[in-house]
Amino acid sequence: MTNVQTGAGVLAGDERMLIDGELRHTASGAKFDVIDPANEQVAGQATDGTVDDMARAVGAARRAFDESDWSRDLEFRYHCLTQLHDALERNQDRLRRVLVTEVGCPVSVSGSQIDSPIDEVKHWAEHGKAFEYLVDTGMHDTPMGPARRKIHYEPVGVVGAITPWNVPFYLNIAETVPALMAGNTVVLKPAQLTPWSGSEYGRIVAEETDIPPGVFNVVVSSANEVGGALSADPRVDMITFTGSTATGRAILAAGAATVKKTLLELGGKSAHIVLDDADFNSALPLAAMMACVMSGQSCILPSRILLPRRRYDEGIEILKTSMENFPYGDPWDPGNMQGPQISDGQRRKVLGLIASGIESGARLVTGGGIPEHLPVGYYVQPTLLADVDPDSRVAQEEIFGPVLTVTAYDSDDEAVAIANNSIYGLSGEVSGEDVERAFAVATRMRTGNVSINGKSHFGITSPFGGTKQSGLGRRNGAEGYQEYLEGKTIGMPA
Ligand code: NAP
């Protein structure tokens, strides 16, 4: 096992993947580099899994589902997931250091990416244990006479889980643990920029739990085609995916031939409607913070701020001050709440979209470039663009950087229309003192989730997901568990 300390706090994760109970390298021994985005240095390596490795992992998951008791033994699954929870807790510090190293997530805000998902393992174990897998719906009149009907909830089968790099450990857990507790077997394919949040999870499962070989597999790779192979494999019954809308479309197409069940959590371009009675001094500093924490690499970030025209200049001034004073830099410094972008490519994409906004007439109020005091690391200044045309690229495309765009509106109806002028429908935000009015506006936003006055919609007990091109299906809540089950209706004699 690789366990290299490369500097203060920095930690390289395990290089290996987990296939059929074995922690292993790919047959050729090929590896790829993992770059620390805060210093642009190679932090370590990961084995470079292939399409053949993926085929072996899917085969192992298929056998474990078809030939073992995993799908039928609820008590054993509860035991294993309770063990997993305890093992992750023992590894908490290591997982946090791996996360900060490979993502550049500030250690100060890593709790939601490490501590919360570990708690969620316990939640799903308890939820799954208490779940009613057999529901008697009583007697039904039929042309053949009365019939009793029962619904038996059964696991879907082999689940392929594909995750992105922005919140890798959280999503590795969120996509796989409810699937496992529901009795499925799983193949996890983490993002190539963040392989260790997946490989460490595999190592912990193999070394510290009784989860049987084949039930949980992790294949890490630097090749997109390996995720493609998972989503097209006819032995896979379901794909659970979090990532971009473009990849979501490719996954839907790949699964079409076998009509694969697909759960998709995709991109977003959320709007924040600031009503004219809002408390600007509370709503707007919070909006600026949301844009910068995680370097803006959050799917639910309300990145399009809509301000009432009569209070527009006041709002811009508060946002400008907030963004100019936001603490960012070295993710290991507990005073910082914004780190680097994940990669040079992502930084170039963010800077390109800022430039396109300016070209299309937006006014650069602050930021807009690489900070002079941070020449090393993929940093971007907190950036505010005002007077943004709602049809321009910067208002339509997901930026995934510490960037807010601001557009003025004249009426609540116009604000709702601008908010809904998007292919995305993940989340949104409304600020206003009159909560009933804010609620009415929230109900008109075509999104899966909305927060009012900063009160979070997001949590393990509430369904979360997107409308329009932001996704299909829901994570979290009772619905999120049922996504990993099929309800079989059985008609039987009275
Ligand atoms: P991405 O490029 O779509 O990649 C996501 C995952 O899909 C990675 O593991 C990637 O592997 C894999 N992949 C790439 N091409 C594939 C293909 N043809 N078939 C199967 N898998 C394939 O997304 P990302 O850039 O990592 O993540 C950022 C995106 O995720 C943003 O759009 C963000 O909004 C979204 N996101 C959504 C949510 C939500 O809950 N709705 C949460 C977090 C993030 P490689 O790494 O090898 O390319």
Side-chain angles (χ1 to χ4, degrees):
M1 184 184 98
T2 315
N3 185 0
V4 188
Q5 289 210 24
T6 54
V10 174
L11 186 75
D14 199 298
E15 292 184 350
R16 297 166 300 175
M17 52 194 169
L18 173 63
I19 299 179
D20 208 7
E22 188 194 343
L23 290 166
R24 48 171 293 170
H25 290 88
T26 193
S28 70
K31 296 178 186 179
F32 64 100
D33 291 340
V34 182
I35 308 294
D36 179 341
N39 61 23
E40 305 181 27
Q41 300 292 310
V42 176
Q45 291 187 310
T47 191
D48 204 355
T50 62
V51 167
D52 286 347
D53 291 316
M54 181 55 81
R56 264 191 288 280
V58 172
R62 188 74 261 168
R63 277 193 304 282
F65 186 80
D66 293 339
E67 297 168 19
S68 82
D69 281 343
W70 178 256
S71 65
R72 290 180 294 277
D73 194 341
L74 179 64
E75 277 304 316
F76 181 57
R77 298 201 300 270
Y78 179 76
H79 157 79
C80 288
L81 291 195
T82 304
Q83 262 186 336
L84 175 63
H85 168 264
D86 297 348
L88 292 171
E89 271 197 338
R90 285 193 294 277
N91 284 273
Q92 201 155 2
D93 179 54
R94 183 178 168 81
L95 290 164
R96 190 184 318 279
R97 290 169 63 198
V98 160
L99 175 88
V100 178
T101 303
E102 67 178 359
V103 180
C105 167
V107 70
S108 62
V109 297
S110 63
S112 61
Q113 294 210 36
I114 297 291
D115 309 0
S116 304
I118 293 176
D119 289 346
E120 291 183 5
V121 177
K122 191 86 184 145
H123 168 88
W124 288 122
E126 297 300 338
H127 184 90
K129 191 177 180 198
F131 187 83
E132 223 180 316
Y133 293 90
L134 187 61
V135 177
D136 188 339
T137 67
M139 298 301 294
H140 298 256
D141 285 332
T142 82
M144 313 285 284
R148 177 177 289 284
R149 288 190 189 142
K150 293 184 179 180
I151 304 174
H152 189 228
Y153 289 96
E154 301 170 0
V156 182
V158 174
V159 173
I162 304 176
T163 53
W165 46 261
N166 67 326
V167 276
F169 179 72
Y170 172 80
L171 284 167
N172 290 343
I173 294 293
E175 289 197 7
T176 63
V177 169
L180 289 168
M181 190 60 203
N184 302 280
T185 60
V186 170
V187 179
L188 169 65
K189 210 297 287 174
Q192 60 182 276
L193 291 171
T194 53
W196 293 333
S197 293
S199 62
E200 284 290 323
Y201 179 12
R203 178 189 64 77
I204 291 165
V205 165
E207 293 179 347
E208 300 187 40
T209 77
D210 295 330
I211 294 176
V215 165
F216 180 69
N217 308 270
V218 184
V219 179
V220 296
S221 172
S222 70
N224 286 154
E225 62 191 23
V226 172
L230 177 61
S231 55
D233 195 311
R235 297 169 296 175
V236 174
D237 298 292
M238 173 178 178
I239 292 289
T240 175
F241 171 74
T242 307
S244 63
T245 295
T247 306
R249 290 187 199 111
I251 285 172
L252 272 180
T258 51
V259 195
K260 231 181 266 314
K261 184 169 182 180
T262 310
L263 172 54
L264 301 175
E265 297 296 350
L266 308 177
K269 186 73 185 174
S270 304
H272 180 172
I273 299 178
V274 184
L275 295 170
D276 55 8
D277 65 344
D279 176 354
F280 276 29
N281 286 313
S282 139
L284 297 180
L286 186 61
M289 185 184 93
M290 292 296 291
C292 299
V293 162
M294 291 170 62
S295 313
Q297 299 172 147
S298 160
C299 55
I300 55 175
L301 167 66
S303 57
R304 294 184 292 144
I305 306 284
L306 308 184
L307 290 180
R309 197 173 306 276
R310 71 177 182 82
R311 298 185 67 188
Y312 189 71
D313 293 343
E314 177 195 352
I316 294 285
E317 206 44 48
I318 296 170
L319 286 169
K320 176 176 186 284
T321 306
S322 305
M323 294 197 87
E324 287 178 349
N325 289 299
F326 197 78
Y328 71 104
D330 180 6
W332 293 101
D333 179 342
N336 287 331
M337 293 175 73
Q338 175 191 330
Q341 307 311 119
I342 185 84
S343 67
D344 187 37
Q346 279 296 317
R347 179 167 68 174
R348 278 190 273 114
K349 180 185 160 210
V350 172
L351 295 174
L353 275 167
I354 294 170
S356 86
I358 296 167
E359 275 163 30
S360 62
R363 172 167 53 99
L364 180 66
V365 178
T366 189
I370 296 172
E372 273 179 25
H373 68 290
L374 292 167
V376 176
Y378 306 124
Y379 294 96
V380 173
Q381 293 172 312
T383 298
L384 184 63
L385 289 172
D387 313 341
V388 171
D389 175 350
D391 291 319
S392 63
R393 264 186 73 205
V394 76
Q396 290 292 325
E397 292 182 23
E398 192 176 32
I399 304 173
F400 240 47
V403 183
L404 285 177
T405 66
V406 190
T407 301
Y409 70 84
D410 290 305
S411 67
D412 291 8
D413 285 351
E414 190 191 5
V416 170
I418 296 171
N420 288 338
N421 174 20
S422 172
I423 63 164
Y424 297 110
L426 190 54
S427 69
E429 173 105 27
V430 185
S431 293
E433 285 299 280
D434 178 346
V435 174
E436 271 183 39
R437 175 182 168 209
F439 188 87
V441 169
T443 61
R444 296 173 63 194
M445 294 172 88
R446 291 191 59 212
T447 64
N449 325 269
V450 183
S451 289
I452 295 177
N453 292 342
K455 299 297 177 195
S456 174
H457 57 72
F458 189 77
I460 188 74
T461 51
S462 303
F464 169 81
T467 60
K468 300 196 274 183
Q469 294 188 36
S470 285
L472 289 176
R474 293 292 179 268
R475 292 201 198 291
N476 294 348
E479 292 91 333
Y481 190 68
Q482 254 173 265
E483 295 278 5
Y484 295 101
L485 294 163
E486 303 273 26
K488 178 190 285 173
T489 304
I490 301 176
M492 55 201 291

